[in-house]
Amino acid sequence: MDAKYLDLLAQKYGSEEKVANEIINLEAILDLPKGTEHFVSDLHGEYHAFQHVLRNGSGNVKMKIQDLFQEELDEHKINEFATLIYYPEEKLKLVKSHFSQREDLYAWYEDTISRMLKLITHASSKYTRSKLRKALPEQFAYITEELLYKKEGYEDKTAYYTKILERLMSLGQADKLIIGLAYTTQRLVVDHLHVVGDIFDRGPDPDKIMDTLIDYHSVDIQWGNHDVLWVGAYAGSKVCLANIIRICARYNNLDIIEDVYGINLRPLLNIAEKYYSENPPFRPKRMAGDSLTEQEELQITKIHQAISIIQFKLESPIIKRRECLNMESRLLLEKVDYDKQEVTLQAGTYALKDTCFATIDPEDPAALLEEEQQVIDKLLFSFQHSEKLIRHMDFLMKKGSLYRRYNGNLLIHGCIPLEEDGTMKAMDIEGTSYAGRELLDVFEHYVRYAYAHPEETDDFATDMVWYLWTGENSSLFGKREMTTFERYFIQEKETHKERKNPYYHLREDVGVCRQLLEDFGLDPDQGRIINGHTPVKEIDGEDPIKAEGKMIVIDGGFSKAYQSTTGIAGYTLLYNSYGMQLVAHQHFDSQEDVLMQEADVHSVKRLVNEELERKKVRETNTGRKLQQEIEGLHNLLQYRYMK
């Protein structure tokens, strides 16, 4: 045992008794039931739906209320109480408006606070008192602890507890206590949150999701392809930045760029107004509630074209200077006959429609106009100097990774590239061949290097981050090629199809999933792969639980853009000491609808597995860390205090 480490432990605990006390405490924690893990994926800026799922713990809050009060409360009262836990500030206003007599309101306060304390006791049953204390509302921690640990049947303190409640109400503090207890309950029902990729793009509020995650008590993130696109832009990739702006224009979300992150789009609009006009394929997608004027829609349509052409131009030099990426087939600007307005692809020659090539020189199609170069340079500078964006990207890097091994399971957003026969697909990178876990580790190395060196804009690492967005062997993209150009300009839909990596049909095979788990150092008998990225089309009968439960796909369509094809509004997964449950969610309309209708939006819970014995903390990642701490403390006792 390292002497410096023992010195640090000795400074922290200070005496033999304190060391022994900590060993006893940690060893006792190992035998507690494991906490509940909550898995979400592909949030795509849908903040309000995500918030609701977070607040109700994918139905976990309601389940605990039913367990505790099903004999005492009818269904209406249970729903009313659950809604109070989800949205305490708003629900309190509605409830209080129904009371005309102060005595009736005080009686409601007393009953409600009593039930909330019982619920917290129930929800915290597998936590230490210390952990519960940290979750209590700070301003009421002392009072709450007194009320939580009161003993029924002890008459000596009855007046004491009654006086606490009376004074809380008479001093106008009851609302604040109820709000604090509601958020404590939300925190207790989920011990740890996993976000299995794609926080950004398509939806309107990824920034609000990031702010929520930054404040969340325990979270990790597996980067999605859209998340890495934003990381790449900060890391200096102009083509990643162009993709971000193009997607925001496509989904009418440019205010994220301009209003939320403070990046001036006026120079881009000036180019757009100068060179582009109305063009139907570039009109922004409209969602329910959108209120665009014709002028605003036309401006976005022009911006969409301007940034798309800049993106296509920026792709070419990367493809040419990085032969190992094997993307020569995507040099499409060079494959266009600008006189005939047609393009030659591997499958044949196709006529082009709705083109917008005003800034393209047929002799050098990838060359940026000087004004285009100036615009993308200014945008990159603004992107790399946005204080709020830097804070969000720093958190994404701190809490994120390409994959995570957690409590015996493999969490990954996209795929592990495979050959058709199920073997790991290899990629040659700078003279070395990588496959499987090694390939993903190399990808992550380049992401982290590029992020740490944002001043290097055309280096290999930054180009590799872009490759993760669009490359054939990318574990995040997982398709042969990205057909953005074809979807804009070619009518024949067979050219739009993006052929998936064999992983996406081989993941139905138990043997393949076991092989993947072994490659990542996990037990194939106990482990599972938790996947996002590809929306499960439940409406067509697709099953999110694959390979006899070894593979669970939880992208069910949080993004409104997918819900018409999936038939639901997302999956989430719960994993507690009893096993796993997959939750399918109905469409989330609004917080107001939940408050007025008092109805959750989760629908069906499906049991993935049931543990024969409750899983304990000692069997988790946290347990392994605690065991290392215990070993260090035993060494401290042996070498410092028992000589």
Side-chain angles (χ1 to χ4, degrees):
M1 181 63 65
D2 185 84
K4 290 183 179 179
Y5 176 63
L6 292 178
D7 287 340
L8 290 172
L9 285 178
Q11 291 174 26
K12 182 176 180 180
Y13 294 104
S15 69
E16 179 182 344
E17 293 79 11
K18 288 182 179 179
V19 174
N21 184 69
E22 185 65 7
I23 290 173
I24 293 166
N25 174 49
L26 295 180
E27 288 184 341
I29 290 173
L30 291 175
D31 285 319
L32 288 171
K34 76 173 283 295
T36 298
E37 297 170 60
H38 192 189
F39 301 78
V40 299
S41 174
D42 296 87
L43 304 173
H44 284 300
E46 297 294 345
Y47 166 74
H48 295 291
F50 168 64
Q51 266 284 308
H52 186 70
V53 165
L54 212 58
R55 287 169 180 261
N56 72 11
S58 287
N60 212 13
V61 170
K62 174 76 75 66
M63 182 180 69
K64 292 191 180 297
I65 292 172
Q66 290 170 331
D67 288 345
L68 202 55
F69 299 113
Q70 59 183 344
E71 301 297 328
E72 179 182 337
L73 302 175
D74 60 25
E75 184 178 356
H76 171 71
K77 290 292 185 183
I78 285 175
N79 288 338
E80 184 179 63
F81 188 44
T83 307
L84 178 67
I85 301 297
Y86 307 155
Y87 302 106
E89 295 95 338
E90 296 81 3
K91 190 62 179 178
L92 274 168
K93 292 178 183 177
L94 291 174
V95 170
K96 288 164 65 177
S97 68
H98 296 150
F99 290 104
S100 56
Q101 300 296 321
R102 179 177 173 180
E103 293 78 10
D104 294 336
L105 177 60
Y106 275 24
W108 179 86
Y109 275 136
E110 189 171 350
D111 289 344
T112 300
I113 291 171
S114 175
R115 289 192 185 109
M116 294 182 89
L117 292 168
K118 289 179 182 177
L119 181 60
I120 286 173
T121 301
H122 180 54
S124 65
S125 59
K126 55 187 172 185
Y127 298 136
T128 63
R129 186 174 290 193
S130 172
K131 189 165 185 175
L132 171 59
R133 185 180 300 117
K134 293 174 184 176
L136 294 175
E138 186 176 352
Q139 67 274 38
F140 296 112
Y142 171 75
I143 291 172
T144 306
E145 282 196 278
E146 287 292 299
L147 294 171
L148 278 171
Y149 301 126
K150 72 175 184 178
K151 301 291 185 182
E152 300 296 339
Y154 286 80
E155 300 298 327
D156 292 350
K157 278 193 170 182
T158 300
Y160 170 71
Y161 295 126
T162 302
K163 181 59 71 174
I164 289 175
L165 287 174
E166 285 179 356
R167 296 305 287 161
L168 276 168
M169 291 181 285
S170 65
L171 292 171
Q173 299 301 301
D175 285 7
K176 293 178 182 179
L177 176 62
I178 287 173
I179 291 166
L181 295 178
Y183 287 119
T184 293
T185 304
Q186 292 177 27
R187 175 169 174 170
L188 291 172
V189 298
V190 170
D191 190 47
H192 187 78
L193 175 68
H194 304 284
V195 182
V196 193
D198 278 356
I199 296 164
F200 287 89
D201 293 333
R202 295 200 176 95
D205 299 306
D207 59 301
K208 294 179 181 177
I209 293 176
M210 288 300 298
D211 286 338
T212 299
L213 295 176
I214 287 171
D215 291 335
Y216 201 74
H217 59 274
S218 184
V219 63
D220 60 58
I221 300 167
Q222 291 70 62
W223 300 321
N225 50 321
H226 289 268
D227 305 321
V228 163
L229 193 63
W230 283 72
V231 169
Y234 175 81
S237 173
K238 295 171 186 175
V239 70
C240 285
L241 176 55
N243 270 281
I244 287 170
I245 298 172
R246 178 184 61 80
I247 293 168
C248 286
R250 181 173 175 79
Y251 289 91
N252 185 27
N253 284 326
L254 287 172
D255 58 333
I256 295 172
I257 302 293
E258 199 154 25
D259 298 338
V260 173
Y261 290 121
I263 296 162
N264 182 14
L265 293 178
R266 173 57 62 178
L268 179 60
L269 176 60
N270 290 339
I271 285 183
E273 294 280 13
K274 181 177 179 179
Y275 291 106
Y276 301 97
S277 58
E278 164 66 355
N279 196 343
F282 292 88
R283 289 175 187 156
K285 289 182 177 290
R286 303 291 292 269
M287 298 295 175
D290 284 353
S291 56
L292 280 177
T293 66
E294 289 185 16
Q295 178 64 24
E296 288 170 334
E297 184 172 34
L298 181 57
Q299 283 186 340
I300 295 172
T301 301
K302 292 177 179 179
I303 288 174
H304 192 175
Q305 293 171 83
I307 200 64
S308 297
I309 296 302
I310 290 173
Q311 173 193 316
F312 297 140
K313 289 182 177 183
L314 290 169
E315 290 172 351
S316 295
I318 302 175
I319 295 170
K320 289 179 178 179
R321 67 177 175 251
R322 309 298 180 197
E323 292 183 8
C324 68
L325 302 185
N326 194 28
M327 294 181 68
E328 290 78 12
S329 64
R330 299 311 299 168
L331 293 170
L332 297 184
L333 293 183
E334 297 183 3
K335 301 177 186 296
V336 172
D337 185 321
Y338 291 93
D339 292 328
K340 294 181 180 179
Q341 290 288 285
E342 59 186 26
V343 64
T344 299
L345 307 178
Q346 290 177 322
T349 300
Y350 297 88
L352 298 173
K353 65 181 183 67
D354 301 311
T355 57
C356 48
F357 298 154
T359 69
I360 292 179
D361 176 2
E363 299 301 318
D364 189 6
L368 290 168
L369 298 182
E370 183 178 351
E371 51 200 311
E372 289 176 317
Q373 185 69 60
Q374 290 173 353
V375 164
I376 198 67
D377 287 344
K378 288 178 181 177
L379 287 170
L380 181 62
F381 180 86
S382 297
F383 208 84
Q384 291 184 324
H385 291 82
S386 166
E387 183 180 341
K388 186 171 187 177
L389 185 64
I390 292 170
R391 185 169 72 253
H392 288 172
M393 294 299 102
D394 282 347
F395 183 79
L396 200 58
M397 294 300 294
K398 179 182 178 182
K399 293 292 185 178
S401 56
L402 273 181
Y403 68 89
R404 190 172 300 270
R405 300 179 304 159
Y406 198 94
N407 291 346
N409 300 311
L410 175 61
L411 285 58
I412 182 167
H413 175 73
C415 71
I416 297 99
L418 298 177
E419 298 286 5
E420 195 61 55
D421 63 1
T423 58
M424 304 292 178
K425 192 174 191 332
M427 180 180 177
D428 185 86
I429 301 175
E430 295 191 301
T432 304
S433 181
Y434 301 96
R437 182 180 176 184
E438 283 190 347
L439 179 61
L440 270 64
D441 287 340
V442 170
F443 284 153
E444 182 161 336
H445 161 74
Y446 285 120
V447 172
R448 294 196 180 280
Y449 182 90
Y451 191 79
H453 299 85
E455 72 285 354
E456 299 179 21
T457 60
D458 293 323
D459 62 309
F460 189 80
T462 307
D463 290 347
M464 284 300 295
V465 180
W466 171 71
Y467 181 82
L468 278 172
W469 163 250
T470 191
E472 178 181 0
N473 294 314
S474 164
S475 61
L476 295 178
F477 179 50
K479 298 177 184 177
R480 178 70 179 272
E481 54 192 1
M482 188 176 291
T483 59
T484 306
F485 182 95
E486 291 89 330
R487 289 195 298 272
Y488 283 137
F489 301 125
I490 301 176
Q491 189 167 355
E492 287 80 2
K493 290 195 173 180
E494 67 266 20
T495 66
H496 303 180
K497 188 173 182 180
E498 297 174 342
R499 193 174 71 194
K500 295 179 181 177
N501 184 271
Y503 170 91
Y504 288 103
H505 66 82
L506 291 173
R507 66 183 179 179
E508 304 271 358
D509 186 285
V510 176
V512 170
C513 290
R514 291 177 64 88
Q515 172 193 335
L516 293 173
L517 288 164
E518 286 183 355
D519 184 61
F520 281 81
L522 295 168
D523 183 349
D525 292 326
Q526 301 296 322
R528 287 170 175 78
I529 302 170
I530 319 274
N531 223 167
H533 189 51
T534 52
V536 175
K537 297 180 180 178
E538 185 176 272
I539 196 171
D540 295 333
E542 184 180 357
D543 194 341
I545 304 173
K546 305 176 185 296
E548 299 177 10
K550 287 295 168 190
M551 169 73 66
I552 305 168
V553 184
I554 61 171
D555 180 6
F558 256 103
S559 174
K560 292 178 183 176
Y562 288 141
Q563 289 173 10
S564 61
T565 57
T566 61
I568 58 171
Y571 291 109
T572 55
L573 185 70
L574 294 170
Y575 180 27
N576 60 24
S577 58
Y578 291 108
M580 286 185 173
Q581 284 187 323
L582 187 71
V583 185
H585 295 266
Q586 301 165 357
H587 174 69
F588 179 83
D589 287 316
S590 67
Q591 174 184 305
E592 291 73 22
D593 188 60
V594 175
L595 285 165
M596 299 309 296
Q597 302 298 324
E598 293 178 341
D600 272 327
V601 295
H602 71 275
S603 50
V604 179
K605 284 189 177 182
R606 296 176 56 187
L607 193 67
V608 179
N609 74 307
E610 188 171 6
E611 301 287 346
L612 296 178
E613 294 183 12
R614 291 188 77 179
K615 194 174 284 290
K616 295 181 179 180
V617 170
R618 70 171 62 252
E619 302 168 76
T620 68
N621 285 33
T622 299
R624 283 187 284 276
K625 291 178 182 177
L626 292 179
Q627 286 169 327
Q628 290 173 355
E629 290 183 40
I630 291 168
E631 181 184 354
L633 291 167
H634 274 296
N635 280 311
L636 180 62
L637 272 182
Q638 180 178 353
Y639 293 110
R640 294 294 170 89
Y641 297 114
M642 294 185 175
K643 288 183 178 180

